[in-house]
Amino acid sequence: KNIEIELTDAHWAIIKFLRDDYATQGETATTRRVQAVGGFPIKEQFVLFPKKPGKKMSYIAGLPKPAGCV
């Protein structure tokens, strides 16, 4: 599966948040939680991970897709 995203420090900051949050919460954070708890605005998530940020972020982080993500 090739999603053609070149990872920058901004991408890695979100991926690190997702992995750390998953370790404490036991489930993958939704885009809303990544904004509320992680401090990464949803608009920024869409810029970094176009079209389906929740699915792409979790895939790159090696985590299950968030609940409610199709």
Side-chain angles (χ1 to χ4, degrees), residues 40-55:
F40 302 98
I42 288 179
K43 281 185 177 180
E44 183 183 333
Q45 294 176 48
F46 270 92
V47 170
L48 294 171
F49 302 93
K51 297 192 179 111
K52 296 181 178 176
K55 196 170 185 178

Side-chain angles (χ1 to χ4, degrees), residues 12-29 33-34 37-38 40 57 61-63:
W12 283 111
I14 293 177
I15 291 166
K16 181 177 179 348
F17 167 77
L18 280 172
R19 290 175 175 167
D20 292 347
D21 192 65
Y22 183 83
T24 58
Q25 299 299 313
E27 61 184 29
T28 306
R33 180 171 172 82
V34 172
V37 181
F40 302 98
M57 292 184 305
L63 302 171

